[in-house]
Amino acid sequence: MRSRVLPALAVVAGAAALAACGSSSSSSSNSTGSTTAASCAVDQLALVHKGQLTVGTDQPAYPPWFVDNAPSNGKGYESAVAYAIAKQMGFTPAQLKWVKVTFNVAISPAVKNFDFDVNQVSISDKRRKAVDFSSGYYDVRQAVISYKGSKLDGVHTLAGVAAAHLGAQVGTTSYQAIVDQIKPKSAPAVFDSNDLAVQALKNHAIDGIVVDVPTAFYMVAAQVDHGIIVGQLPKAGGQQEQFGAVLDKGSKLTPCVTKAVDALRANGTLDRLQTRWLSSQGAPELK
Amino acid sequence: MTIRRADAGATPAAAGGWQPSQIERERRAYRRSRSLRSAVIASLSTLLVVTVAGVLITHSAGWPRVSQTFFDWHKAQESFPSVLRGLWLNIRILLFCSVAITVLGLTLAVMRTLRGPVFFPLRLFAAAYTDLFRGLPLLLVIFLLGFGVPALRLQGLPQDMVIWGGLAIVLSYSAYVAEVFRAGIESVHPSQRAAARSLGLNHAQTMRFVVLPQAVRRVLPPLLNDFVSLQKDSGLIAVLGVVDAIRAAQISTDIDFNFTPYVVAGFLFVCLTIPTTRITDHLARKHGWYGAGPGGGRI
């Protein structure tokens, strides 16, 4: 839900970074420099708390990324990915501790109380100036949802979507997708959370919400009465947007987390977890 | 003034005027030297404090990152137009709401100060209203009106979130302002009322010509406080989906995790506040609203 980001990457640098991130090779694709593999041994990691991996996410933690607002139950895609990363790095599940980290804390320059943060944060080169990202653990697409009988019911084109009053969560790639890709006729409504956007949609104060595809499926299934998926947006400028773990700028841990994510991608764990926790099939593409 | 002229006069005899005694001149010289000394000490200590604070902050380990995150000139320029557009919404809400709040607040205050048993329901209503809306968090009122009322699906209600948000602000703030007005009204000495009534003015006339002018004059500084506070609280309606200055800053911040746009918004809010305060102070002094208190609202 918080695919907060800006896809407006510098084209060349962005393409290069994405080519690296998108590959399923096991090599580190992080731009912050590399360290030797030996330093990724558990006892040599620069951890916030010795002997445990501290992972942050915001509260409430939303489905399908987390289940029952309890990151520690291992259910939901991001929770499962965090435990998989921990295992890959050599931690036991008991050594993984969750802390509540709001989005603003995760991105601020203040001292971090987590080793890495998973909160549906999209990777971009502009954001890399402020924080470190692991390589991407999920390839994101954006979708438009609405309700039966709305202005958007039966619309199949971007031009049709542009005529509606749309909403999104503040600072998300979804919001940027509205501004950059859909270019709506009326200014989009911006909400603090997807919950508020859903409430506005229920009140018919807006015609549709733009969110990432898995969240879109969750919303129409569980939150919006008579919800429909209008369609998914084409890739922005042909670039693949990805969610990545957020680390403190210059963290020594970044190459190690990236290495773990790359390994999970290569051995098919990420695909398996996506199949288990995320439904993203069957959303028609808007032309 | 007269003293200076006497000082400047060529000779006492020629000026034909009074000249301060030797002792008085010594006193004046002493006072001048003391005030000069105070000014020098104040300047030095200010300089010292600012320097020490400045050095401590700029030499801290995290300063390069803080300065880059909060005081990035390019980011400031980039975000300025959108933050300014957001501020325009704050200003519009401020203008419309402040008028409505003043009217409603004053009405409530007058209702609450009505005398006579027949007005009990009005007094009760005013008291209950102020108790309720001062107690309720503004954010809840905004949610209730902005998300709750439209959910009723009644026909003919406005769909524009700005209207609902503005209404919530008016409801909440008028409760505070009513109490400020009431404090002003009750601070007017009963003898004023008695004198007015004995001159043959009825209750309404007494309020209009005797009590309220004095009351409003006295509570002007706290009213201005509420006005300045409203400038910033007007942004709370951003939770309903509209974009004010702070929300515009947030949108810009989330693009690259640089917090400079918030500083830009803060700067604009201060620019909005300072003239308001100075203009009101100026008017107040000009009209003698502040009475004979020392300083009269000067810094």
Side-chain angles (χ1 to χ4, degrees):
Chain A
M1 328 201 135
R2 277 226 180 86
S3 37
R4 308 186 187 229
V5 113
L6 181 76
L9 311 172
V11 175
V12 177
L18 285 164
C21 289
S23 75
S24 56
S25 75
S26 59
S27 68
S28 163
S29 60
N30 197 274
S31 62
T32 55
S34 58
T35 47
T36 56
S39 68
C40 286
V42 170
D43 53 349
Q44 298 194 13
L45 293 174
L47 298 167
V48 172
H49 296 292
K50 216 172 160 47
Q52 72 177 52
L53 187 65
T54 314
V55 182
T57 195
D58 204 354
Q59 294 271 335
Y62 292 97
W65 310 102
F66 296 92
V67 174
D68 299 333
N69 190 24
S72 57
N73 61 12
K75 295 179 181 171
Y77 181 70
E78 284 192 330
S79 177
V81 165
Y83 279 102
I85 292 174
K87 190 180 170 196
Q88 189 69 33
M89 291 172 76
F91 292 93
T92 65
Q95 280 176 307
L96 194 164
K97 301 284 184 224
W98 291 91
V99 285
K100 183 205 162 193
V101 177
T102 62
F103 184 71
N104 278 325
V105 171
I107 65 171
S108 80
V111 176
K112 303 288 194 288
N113 64 342
F114 55 83
D115 291 319
F116 67 84
D117 180 77
V118 284
N119 201 8
Q120 303 114 59
V121 185
S122 296
I123 301 169
S124 83
D125 279 2
K126 285 193 171 188
R127 289 175 165 188
R128 271 191 215 279
K129 286 184 201 154
V131 295
D132 276 5
F133 286 105
S134 72
S135 55
Y137 55 77
Y138 181 69
D139 296 351
V140 201
R141 296 288 296 272
Q142 301 294 333
V144 184
I145 70 157
S146 187
Y147 53 91
K148 278 202 185 86
S150 79
K151 214 191 250 184
L152 284 170
D153 197 355
V155 167
H156 301 295
T157 61
L158 275 180
V161 173
H165 187 209
L166 298 168
Q169 185 177 336
V170 64
T172 53
T173 19
S174 316
Y175 173 79
Q176 284 302 332
I178 297 179
V179 175
D180 298 336
Q181 280 187 273
I182 301 177
K183 300 188 176 71
K185 294 187 177 69
S186 60
V190 194
F191 298 93
D192 279 316
S193 69
N194 278 326
D195 288 347
L196 293 178
V198 165
Q199 188 58 47
L201 185 67
K202 283 179 173 176
N203 290 344
H204 301 179
I206 52 176
D207 301 316
I209 303 175
V210 178
V211 283
D212 59 78
V213 171
T215 306
F217 274 94
Y218 172 75
M219 280 179 172
V220 297
Q223 293 186 304
V224 182
D225 309 323
H226 312 295
I228 52 167
I229 298 224
V230 180
Q232 60 178 327
L233 302 180
K235 284 180 191 173
Q239 294 175 353
Q240 181 57 58
E241 178 192 340
Q242 291 183 311
F243 289 160
V246 178
L247 296 95
D248 197 7
K249 178 79 185 157
S251 167
K252 291 191 178 67
L253 220 55
T254 309
C256 303
V257 178
T258 287
K259 201 177 137 204
V261 173
D262 287 343
L264 293 172
R265 190 180 272 270
N267 70 17
T269 307
L270 291 183
D271 284 340
R272 201 160 37 76
L273 292 176
Q274 280 165 26
T275 316
R276 169 132 190 234
W277 296 110
L278 305 176
S279 45
S280 52
Q281 304 305 311
E285 183 146 331
L286 295 164
K287 297 281 186 287
Chain B
M1 293 298 133
T2 41
I3 295 161
R4 278 229 186 106
R5 215 188 303 142
D7 279 344
T11 60
W18 167 86
Q19 200 189 11
S21 69
Q22 180 65 28
I23 292 177
E24 173 60 16
R25 271 180 303 202
E26 279 168 14
R27 279 187 194 132
R28 280 183 197 161
Y30 178 71
R31 278 189 219 118
R32 263 200 302 276
S33 79
R34 296 309 282 183
S35 62
L36 184 67
R37 185 168 168 269
S38 304
V40 168
I41 292 176
S43 313
L44 284 179
S45 82
T46 309
L47 197 67
L48 185 75
V49 169
V50 170
T51 312
V52 168
V55 167
L56 276 181
I57 291 171
T58 53
H59 283 70
S60 62
W63 170 248
R65 221 174 135 190
V66 168
S67 89
Q68 189 194 355
T69 312
F70 287 90
F71 307 105
D72 182 332
W73 179 243
H74 287 292
K75 181 73 182 170
Q77 286 175 313
E78 186 189 304
S79 62
F80 186 79
S82 66
V83 173
L84 195 63
R85 264 198 304 280
L87 189 73
W88 176 231
L89 177 72
N90 292 85
I91 294 175
R92 277 179 297 164
I93 295 173
L94 180 71
L95 293 180
F96 282 106
C97 288
S98 56
V99 173
I101 289 166
T102 312
V103 173
L104 187 55
L106 192 58
T107 311
L108 284 163
V110 170
M111 271 164 75
R112 205 167 169 184
T113 47
L114 285 175
R115 285 142 202 241
V118 71
F119 294 120
F120 178 76
L122 286 183
R123 285 199 298 273
L124 182 72
F125 169 78
Y129 180 95
T130 47
D131 282 356
L132 180 69
F133 282 104
R134 280 195 306 169
L136 282 180
L138 176 53
L139 198 57
L140 173 62
V141 182
I142 291 177
F143 277 141
L144 276 176
L145 288 187
F147 287 129
V149 177
L152 297 173
R153 310 281 173 91
L154 296 172
Q155 292 299 311
L157 288 179
Q159 279 283 325
D160 193 343
M161 285 301 187
V162 176
I163 294 175
W164 289 112
L167 187 60
I169 289 177
V170 169
L171 285 177
S172 192
Y173 260 77
S174 56
Y176 290 98
V177 169
E179 286 299 277
V180 173
F181 276 128
R182 185 166 74 97
I185 290 171
E186 289 180 353
S187 77
V188 176
H189 199 270
S191 63
Q192 294 280 326
R193 230 178 259 268
R197 297 308 290 269
S198 70
L199 284 173
L201 274 64
N202 61 26
H203 179 81
Q205 288 170 324
T206 306
M207 286 301 278
R208 164 70 186 83
F209 296 109
V210 178
V211 177
L212 283 182
Q214 301 184 64
V216 170
R217 202 175 291 171
R218 282 178 199 179
V219 297
L220 204 69
L223 279 181
L224 188 68
N225 249 356
D226 283 338
F227 183 74
V228 170
S229 169
L230 176 64
Q231 289 180 2
K232 284 159 289 176
D233 280 356
S234 60
L236 276 177
I237 75 163
V239 297
L240 299 180
V242 292
V243 179
D244 80 313
I246 294 291
R247 179 49 55 88
Q250 190 181 5
I251 290 171
S252 182
T253 289
D254 286 337
I255 289 172
D256 53 7
F257 297 169
N258 189 311
F259 289 76
T260 308
Y262 284 108
V263 179
V264 172
F267 174 76
L268 289 175
F269 272 120
V270 171
C271 288
L272 199 61
T273 307
I274 291 179
T276 328
T277 322
R278 291 291 160 265
I279 289 169
T280 320
D281 273 355
H282 173 74
L283 283 177
R285 262 201 301 281
K286 200 169 150 195
H287 295 286
W289 286 347
Y290 283 143
R298 270 175 251 259
I299 300 171

